[in-house]
Amino acid sequence: MENDSTNGYSPELEEDVISEIGDDIDEPSMYKVLLHNDDYTTMEFVVEILILVFNKSPEDAVRIMLNVHHKGIGICGVYTYEVSETKVNAVRALGRQYGFPLKCTMEKE
């Protein structure tokens, strides 16, 4: 059997390469998904959206809805770009389907 050093394998070199690769990998950017208050969308509909689209518990959904209602905006969650975009589009589509002008946006964290 050959010695590891004679076939070019070096544990130190492998560790250096893995370390360099790890340094090059960036975490994906994260985006906040926001709901905006309006005078037409019902509180009940906002709670349903938070439960269905964002998988919030009924308690969390009510808390976020009240934030939207009282502060004008509420954070539904923080996700990668693709997930955020999908959730924003789902909220907009459901709002249109049920006749509500619910505004949902995303913002880089």
Side-chain angles (χ1 to χ4, degrees):
M1 182 162 189
E2 290 185 36
N3 182 333
D4 282 339
S5 61
T6 59
N7 67 11
Y9 175 76
S10 163
E12 295 82 19
L13 178 62
E14 180 181 12
E15 192 173 302
D16 289 346
V17 170
I18 290 171
S19 176
E20 284 181 31
I21 291 171
D23 292 344
D24 292 342
I25 299 172
D26 290 330
E27 291 294 317
S29 295
M30 300 300 282
Y31 292 79
K32 295 184 279 192
V33 178
L34 308 166
L35 283 180
H36 302 263
N37 193 34
D38 63 64
D39 293 333
Y40 304 100
T41 306
T42 65
M43 293 179 177
E44 293 80 12
F45 184 74
V46 172
V47 169
E48 287 298 315
I49 288 290
L50 289 162
I51 292 170
L52 293 172
V53 177
F54 298 95
N55 301 312
K56 300 296 180 187
S57 68
E59 296 79 16
D60 284 344
V62 168
R63 182 182 49 76
I64 295 167
M65 176 275 297
L66 289 172
N67 249 2
V68 173
H69 182 69
H70 293 295
K71 297 181 180 176
I73 198 164
I75 300 173
C76 305
V78 180
Y79 311 95
T80 60
Y81 181 86
E82 292 79 11
V83 172
S84 295
E85 186 177 47
T86 300
K87 290 187 180 292
V88 166
N89 290 334
V91 170
R92 290 177 180 168
L94 285 165
R96 278 193 306 273
Q97 181 180 344
Y98 289 93
F100 292 115
L102 182 59
K103 183 178 177 185
C104 186
T105 60
M106 56 192 268
E107 174 182 296
K108 192 169 185 176
E109 232 192 357

